[in-house]
């Protein structure tokens, strides 16, 4: 069944806006070429988008012959302001951007005693930081706010689930933001957000100038291993983030693996993969090799890196056996500091444990991945609301 005229217009408008988002500013002629639409149709949609306050003229091309097609059209970046928060146990980082994702202001604040911080004051500190950062960015009103936090997100309510290790002020912060802000407030597991960022802007995009998934080594199916104080994983299949039935996809710290003191339980991941790969265990491994934990990952010490790669390959091999993702991205502090040297060793070790060819890549976004993923999530929400 053919689309109705109104539906066709909405689809054309959204296509044009996405092109302006990704490649703009563009001329009407460029829009015609990229969309495959007729010149009159493009002229109509440009007029509609201008009337709606979504697109404006930002300049002209260098063509000698002036005319309507020489005008450059771009998205009205200040039509909406967005915010992203990276909520850690002991700190909060904030970025405020425009609709194009351009950073306007950013800030980071330590929060008390982390998990033991008084919930009310800690949440108020975080909210106040967001408000100050928004004012510094000249954002009188935020349209969409995305929060990345540790812990499971309930797939039905999209709220942080009540878990023993989650600081109480995290849940209070989310509730306070949702109550006080005249904005859409979204919450997502921080490892999932890192995967979103690596998919669209980072390691999953590929090398050698690749401009997107599917080009020059781009990957739209991969597993991201977050290796930090704690560990976790995010699963991306066919370009879509997969959260699992209860929001717990990627709780790889509970994975039973050889070489641990026992088995994990429903009450804790001691004895699971976390015991081999968390930051404290890696620091201990560095000391056994006579290295300073603060610099061990950058030391290029072959015995240490080989031993660490052997540990990480155990978790990666289990993931590969179940999901066959074809690619594993090492992220978090360990993945970032270990870089390509560690990734290459993990890939080589993994090849001896699994018959499934699995590439291992290092994060290209480092510690910024969570904020970038949150900002992309906020931008998507705003565009879905504002774009026809």
């Amino acid at each position: 069944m053919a689309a109705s005229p109104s539906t066709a217009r909405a689809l054309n408008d959204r296509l044009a806006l996405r092109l302006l988002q990704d490649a703009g500013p563009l001329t009407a002629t460029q829009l015609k070429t990229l969309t495959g639409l007729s010149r009159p149709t493009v002229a109509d949609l440009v007029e509609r988008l201008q009337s709606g306050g979504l697109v404006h003229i930002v300049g002209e091309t260098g063509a000698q012959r002036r005319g309507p097609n020489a005008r450059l059209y771009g998205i009205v970046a200040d039509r909406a302001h967005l915010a992203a928060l990276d909520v850690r146990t002991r700190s909060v980082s904030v970025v405020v951007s425009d609709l194009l994702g351009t950073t306007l202001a950013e800030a980071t604040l330590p929060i008390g005693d982390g998990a033991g911080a008084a919930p009310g004051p800690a949440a108020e500190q975080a909210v106040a930081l967001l408000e100050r950062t928004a004012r510094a960015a000249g954002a009188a009103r935020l349209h969409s706010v995305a929060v990345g936090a540790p812990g499971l997100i309930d797939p039905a309510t999209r709220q942080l689930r009540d878990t023993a290790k989650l600081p109480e002020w995290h849940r209070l912060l989310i509730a306070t933001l949702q109550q006080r802000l005249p904005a859409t407030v979204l919450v997502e597991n921080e490892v999932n957000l890192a995967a979103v960022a690596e998919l669209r802007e980072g390691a999953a995009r590929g090398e050698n100038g690749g401009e997107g998934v599917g080009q020059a080594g781009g990957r739209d199916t991969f597993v991201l291993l977050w290796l930090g104080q704690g560990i976790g994983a995010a699963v991306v299949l066919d370009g879509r983030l997969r959260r699992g039935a209860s929001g717990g996809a990627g709780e790889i710290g509970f994975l039973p693996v050889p070489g641990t003191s026992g088995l994990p339980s429903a009450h804790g991941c001691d004895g699971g993969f976390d015991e081999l790969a968390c930051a404290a265990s890696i620091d201990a491994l560095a000391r056994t090799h006579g290295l300073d934990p603060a610099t061990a990952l950058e030391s290029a010490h072959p015995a240490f890196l080989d031993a660490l790669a052997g540990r990480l390959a155990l978790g990666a091999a289990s993931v590969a056996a179940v999901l066959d993702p074809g690619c594993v991205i090492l992220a978090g502090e360990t993945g970032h500091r270990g870089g390509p040297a560690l990734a290459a060793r993990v890939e080589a070790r993994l090849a001896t444990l699994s018959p499934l060819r699995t590439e291992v890549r290092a994060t290209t976004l480092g510690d910024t991945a969570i904020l970038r993923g949150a900002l992309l999530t906020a931008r998507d929400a705003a565009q879905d609301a504002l774009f026809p």
Side-chain angles (χ1 to χ4, degrees):
M1 180 182 296
S4 67
S6 60
T7 300
R9 285 194 295 271
L11 292 173
N12 291 339
D13 290 355
R14 182 174 285 270
L15 174 59
L17 286 164
R18 292 297 181 187
L19 289 169
L20 289 169
Q21 171 76 67
D22 295 337
L26 299 169
T27 65
T29 296
Q30 290 170 324
L31 281 171
K32 173 183 177 297
T33 300
L34 292 170
T35 61
L37 300 172
S38 68
R39 188 177 300 276
T41 300
V42 169
D44 288 343
L45 75 82
V46 167
E47 184 177 352
R48 280 195 305 275
L49 296 176
Q50 283 185 285
S51 299
L54 293 171
V55 165
H56 62 165
I57 298 171
V58 298
E60 293 184 343
T61 63
Q64 296 297 318
R65 178 178 176 274
R66 297 296 180 89
N69 289 344
R71 294 172 181 170
L72 283 168
Y73 297 95
I75 289 176
V76 180
D78 60 1
R79 174 66 185 271
H81 289 99
L82 320 170
L85 285 79
D86 178 2
V87 181
R88 305 290 178 98
T89 302
R90 296 179 176 274
S91 67
V92 174
S93 297
V94 176
V95 170
V96 176
S97 81
D98 60 23
L99 189 56
L100 289 173
T102 302
T103 296
L104 303 176
E106 53 190 326
T108 298
L109 179 72
I111 299 291
D113 297 323
E124 285 298 326
Q125 288 181 62
V127 173
L129 177 68
L130 173 60
E131 293 172 340
R132 289 196 303 272
T133 309
R135 286 195 297 271
R141 179 188 177 99
L142 294 171
H143 183 283
S144 299
V145 177
V147 183
L152 303 183
I153 309 300
D154 188 295
T157 65
R158 300 304 304 154
Q159 298 295 312
L160 278 171
R161 291 175 55 183
D162 189 5
T163 56
K165 292 186 177 181
L166 186 69
E168 187 178 347
W169 67 268
H170 281 193
R171 289 185 293 275
L172 183 57
L173 169 61
I174 303 301
T176 303
L177 291 172
Q178 291 172 332
Q179 291 168 3
R180 285 173 40 177
L181 292 182
T184 298
V185 178
L186 309 163
V187 59
E188 181 60 87
N189 174 268
E190 87 275 39
V191 180
N192 286 345
L193 290 177
V196 169
E198 296 288 357
L199 172 68
R200 293 168 59 175
E201 298 182 346
R205 288 183 54 153
E207 302 172 342
N208 303 320
E211 292 299 321
V213 171
Q215 298 180 9
R219 295 279 189 174
D220 65 356
T221 292
F222 64 91
V223 170
L224 179 140
L225 295 186
W226 184 267
L227 307 166
Q229 294 301 316
I231 66 172
V235 180
V236 176
L237 304 178
D238 299 324
R240 292 184 58 192
L241 186 65
R242 308 290 178 162
R243 300 179 177 87
S246 64
E251 286 295 301
I252 198 171
F254 288 87
L255 184 71
V257 292
T260 62
S261 60
L263 290 174
S265 72
H267 306 291
C269 54
D270 294 342
F273 183 52
D274 181 82
E275 187 175 309
L276 295 182
C278 71
S281 295
I282 294 174
D283 288 351
L285 180 65
R287 294 188 187 97
T288 66
H289 286 83
L291 301 174
D292 180 353
T295 58
L297 282 163
E298 295 86 359
S299 69
H301 189 284
F304 167 69
L305 290 178
D306 286 343
L308 176 56
R311 292 185 176 193
L312 300 182
L314 291 175
S318 298
V319 168
V322 175
L323 296 175
D324 188 18
C327 180
V328 170
I329 295 174
L330 304 183
E333 182 180 8
T334 299
H336 184 211
R337 290 172 55 203
L342 178 60
R345 281 175 161 83
V346 174
E347 181 174 325
R349 179 60 177 149
L350 180 55
T352 70
L353 300 177
S354 171
L356 303 175
R357 173 74 173 89
T358 306
E359 182 184 9
V360 179
R361 298 180 179 181
T363 173
T364 60
L365 299 176
D367 204 42
T368 68
I370 296 172
L371 274 175
R372 289 304 308 164
L375 198 58
L376 288 166
T377 299
R379 193 174 74 183
D380 287 347
Q383 290 176 348
D384 286 344
L386 294 173
F387 291 3

